[in-house]
Amino acid sequence: MMATETKMVSMVVMGESFRVPEGSTIMSALEYSGFQLTTGVGCREGYCGACGTLYREHGDYKLKGGLACQTVVSDGMHIAQIPFVPADKPSYDLEELTPDEDSFKKIYPEIFRCVACNTCTKICPQDIQVMDYIQCIMRGDIATAADLSFDCLRCGLCALRCPAELVQYNAATLARRLYGRYLAKPAVRLDRMVEDIKAGKYDEEIESLKTMEHEELKDRYYKREVRTK
Amino acid sequence: MSVLYFPGCTLKNKAENFDQSFVSSMAGLGVDMKELDRWNCCGTVFSMASDDLMSQLAPIRNLLRAEQQGADALLAPCSMCYNTLARAKHFVAQEPDRLEKLHSFMYKEQGDYKGAVDVVHPLAYLRDSIGFDLVAKKVSRPLEGLKLGAYYGCLLTRPSIVSIDDPQKPEVMDKLINALGAESVYFEQRTECCGSYQTLTNLAVVANRTNMIIRSARTSGAQALVTSCPLCAYNLDQMQREARKHHSDLSPMPVFYFTELMALALGQDWKSEWTELHEVDPAGLLKEHGLD
Ligand code: SF4
Ligand code: SF4
């Protein structure tokens, strides 16, 4: 039987061409080409936001953004990885803030320069309505901002493209923190659980898990009770 | 006619009394006011640069979304939002090229803006679509004895292309005041500028304007001012304290949003939180007229 030949496509990494298997993600294509990634790489599963990458597809003038671990290489694609975004990240004390727009006027006053161009939304690899969450913050709707930005991975691509030069994802992080601290319904069961753990209710069980045989542990894991509500 | 309303940022925080009283007074007229979904800032100040298309993205996207949500008219209670949205509509209608450029930038939004949705100020809506006669009929608690100065400021009537009334002799707010059972009082400074954003950098300019406008209204017999603009309300109400530093004999005068008075007259509740958003407490005046 003849092995099916893998189709190859070309990829241009900062000016240098490589042939890589069709269907590869940018990240696997880079490694296939011999790059050893020490930065701009993280979970490889689209959760951590470390591998923000700028690319341009063949024949298109538009610069696009994506996560290297999630974006599939197209033939003739030009790419440049963004190893780190040195964005402003002021420190603050949540206890001194209020869950409204006034907190943002103090910590991130630049967000009020948003011109509502929606460029951030266009580039977001998570398909988040980035402009909408910034607009919600501007009008003091912190709960909606926290909700809309929930899937943000803090890849930094939105901030790189913003003409008003604001750092959307750090503002969104503050919105979610304010939501958690002041607006979210208290998780009563969680408090109870923490108390129980502190009181040693689960100590024995944890100890037995620690010494359990691998197979039994697996079995217990699959048979575990999952609470859905 | 299908109508949505655009609150704008200030109505969602510093002018919540305007937002809530607008919705409740419209409910009092039998109109269920639905808020535009997913709106963004109106653009705040209309950009005067004819090539500054970037500044038109915000207002035009709001109009596009209003169209997509099936509205024939978008009501904007805040004078500033009204002015910015209405002027943006005219701006792109003047030269097709402008809209084309905006569309090519907004390629990820679904669909194009057609220019079909009207930008309407609620005062004009009350006059033209509901009618002040009907408003008067629905009044259950007439504001009898209240003498009110309708303060138009700049943005409702300037420039003339978006003016909701005769720019020199507006009367729409006076008519509403009278329909609510109060007495509208003409005063000279009613279309003067309140000082606008000078309030951020040049307090003395605004303090002097506040003093001048309130004195003019009082001399003509007004007990309170009525406005449709949160920035005018800020400069005329919150800035009275600053004005008094320069003009110590300026006595306090309450400033209402027209919708607060409508809500009152239409028998809706006056919420105590509204009072907190007023610098000069209107409670005394309302009580004096049996409206507490
Ligand atoms: S909101 Fe910004 S930082 Fe967050 S995932 Fe989207 S582009 Fe990345
Ligand atoms: S890119 Fe910047 S200015 Fe444009 S909508 Fe996003 S946050 Fe606002």
Side-chain angles (χ1 to χ4, degrees):
Chain A
M1 235 171 69
M2 272 197 17
T4 10
E5 231 173 87
T6 315
K7 209 176 151 214
M8 305 296 272
V9 293
S10 75
M11 166 183 86
V12 188
V13 184
M14 292 188 283
E16 199 183 337
S17 286
F18 297 89
R19 301 288 296 170
V20 298
E22 187 183 38
S24 318
T25 63
I26 292 176
M27 185 171 285
S28 56
L30 283 170
E31 289 178 329
Y32 179 89
S33 309
F35 289 93
Q36 194 185 0
L37 303 175
T38 52
T39 180
V41 59
C43 71
R44 297 167 183 267
E45 294 284 350
Y47 286 114
C48 80
C51 61
T53 300
L54 283 181
Y55 64 87
R56 185 173 62 75
E57 283 171 306
H58 183 68
D60 194 356
Y61 68 89
K62 287 187 178 111
L63 286 178
K64 294 180 180 162
L67 299 175
C69 72
Q70 300 297 301
T71 311
V72 173
V73 173
S74 62
D75 194 29
M77 184 188 261
H78 284 250
I79 71 152
Q81 274 202 287
I82 313 289
F84 179 69
V85 181
D88 186 31
K89 205 165 76 174
S91 41
Y92 43 77
D93 182 352
L94 271 191
E95 300 304 317
E96 286 166 8
L97 299 175
T98 44
D100 53 33
E101 73 287 359
D102 289 340
S103 295
F104 292 83
K105 284 183 185 152
K106 282 186 220 136
I107 314 286
Y108 295 112
E110 64 280 1
I111 68 160
F112 295 88
R113 294 175 52 200
C114 169
V115 294
C117 67
N118 221 13
T119 307
C120 46
T121 305
K122 281 185 197 166
I123 202 164
C124 178
Q126 290 291 89
D127 283 338
I128 292 171
Q129 299 298 330
V130 188
M131 177 192 77
D132 289 45
Y133 78 58
I134 289 294
Q135 291 287 328
C136 284
I137 295 174
M138 285 166 66
R139 67 178 84 128
D141 186 355
I142 307 304
T144 309
D147 188 40
L148 288 176
S149 68
F150 190 78
D151 288 331
C152 171
L153 308 172
R154 306 176 45 82
C155 69
L157 288 169
C158 50
L160 290 174
R161 293 289 260 168
C162 175
E165 299 159 306
L166 48 106
V167 184
Q168 296 90 332
Y169 58 100
N170 281 346
T173 304
L174 175 55
R176 291 192 302 278
R177 286 174 177 160
L178 287 171
Y179 178 77
R181 169 65 186 84
Y182 294 104
L183 304 171
K185 277 199 201 130
V188 188
R189 205 152 63 195
L190 180 66
D191 287 347
R192 222 185 296 139
M193 195 64 150
V194 171
E195 285 306 311
D196 287 350
I197 291 170
K198 276 187 187 159
K201 188 172 171 187
Y202 299 100
D203 286 359
E204 210 178 299
E205 209 174 332
I206 288 283
E207 283 313 311
S208 81
L209 286 175
K210 277 185 188 165
T211 51
M212 200 172 277
E213 287 302 319
H214 191 78
E215 279 310 309
E216 197 191 343
L217 196 59
K218 238 163 108 181
D219 191 50
R220 286 276 290 273
Y221 178 78
Y222 288 118
K223 283 188 184 145
R224 76 196 187 281
E225 184 190 341
V226 181
R227 283 211 194 121
T228 47
K229 270 193 200 152
Chain B
M1 182 162 71
S2 163
V3 176
L4 288 172
Y5 98 99
F6 176 86
C9 306
T10 315
L11 269 72
K12 290 296 171 190
N13 44 68
K14 303 284 183 279
E16 269 185 304
N17 47 337
F18 194 2
D19 187 49
Q20 292 169 7
S21 59
F22 172 63
V23 174
S24 77
S25 56
M26 292 307 275
L29 292 171
V31 182
D32 179 19
M33 255 306 136
K34 291 237 164 34
E35 184 176 320
L36 174 68
D37 194 26
R38 286 187 60 208
W39 51 273
N40 53 253
C41 164
C42 69
T44 322
V45 180
F46 180 77
S47 171
M48 302 289 278
S50 61
D51 57 354
D52 180 13
L53 284 175
M54 188 71 125
S55 298
Q56 306 303 336
L57 284 166
I60 295 301
R61 185 178 307 94
N62 283 319
L63 299 182
L64 169 64
R65 285 184 178 168
E67 279 183 359
Q68 287 170 343
Q69 289 165 40
D72 303 308
L74 188 63
L75 298 195
C78 162
S79 304
M80 182 77 86
C81 296
Y82 165 75
N83 193 277
T84 306
L85 294 170
R87 286 169 85 176
K89 180 182 156 99
H90 284 286
F91 180 81
V92 300
Q94 273 167 1
E95 285 178 30
D97 190 36
R98 291 174 179 162
L99 194 53
E100 214 171 283
K101 275 194 189 147
L102 289 177
H103 280 154
S104 70
F105 187 85
M106 299 199 294
Y107 66 92
K108 280 217 173 167
E109 322 263 339
Q110 284 146 6
D112 282 349
Y113 165 68
K114 299 186 184 61
V117 66
D118 278 330
V119 182
V120 180
H121 192 274
L123 283 168
Y125 182 75
L126 289 167
R127 176 191 59 203
D128 306 332
S129 300
I130 293 188
F132 291 132
D133 286 348
L134 186 82
V135 175
K137 264 190 218 142
K138 296 252 180 182
V139 167
S140 58
R141 193 155 47 155
L143 310 179
E144 263 160 29
L146 271 188
K147 294 185 172 179
L148 303 170
Y151 175 75
Y152 293 88
C154 317
L155 297 166
L156 288 180
T157 57
R158 293 172 226 170
S160 53
I161 188 137
V162 297
S163 179
I164 67 166
D165 206 346
D166 181 330
Q168 300 301 333
K169 289 189 202 136
E171 54 179 25
V172 59
M173 209 179 331
D174 293 85
K175 288 197 166 158
L176 173 67
I177 289 169
N178 294 331
L180 300 177
E183 182 188 334
S184 87
V185 174
Y186 175 90
F187 67 107
E188 210 168 285
Q189 305 283 342
R190 60 199 201 126
T191 54
E192 278 301 314
C193 172
C194 68
S196 187
Y197 280 115
Q198 292 292 337
T199 204
L200 296 174
T201 49
N202 204 337
L203 292 187
V205 167
V206 177
N208 284 334
R209 304 230 120 216
T210 305
N211 173 62
M212 180 182 80
I213 293 164
I214 289 179
R215 262 173 219 278
S216 162
R218 181 165 289 118
T219 310
S220 301
Q223 298 158 324
L225 286 176
V226 188
T227 177
S228 69
C229 175
L231 184 53
C232 296
Y234 182 86
N235 285 348
L236 293 172
D237 186 9
Q238 319 286 328
M239 286 294 282
Q240 284 185 43
R241 194 195 291 251
E242 182 69 22
R244 220 162 286 121
K245 287 186 196 160
H246 305 260
H247 312 274
S248 55
D249 61 336
L250 180 73
S251 47
M253 177 180 277
V255 180
F256 293 100
Y257 290 112
F258 69 96
T259 50
E260 289 179 304
L261 296 165
M262 269 173 74
L264 256 184
L266 295 168
Q268 307 285 327
D269 285 340
W270 174 284
K271 293 196 185 164
S272 57
E273 299 96 277
W274 299 357
T275 310
E276 283 159 32
L277 290 162
H278 286 254
E279 166 76 18
V280 177
D281 191 343
L285 180 68
L286 295 177
K287 197 167 178 190
E288 221 173 275
H289 293 85
L291 296 165
D292 52 335

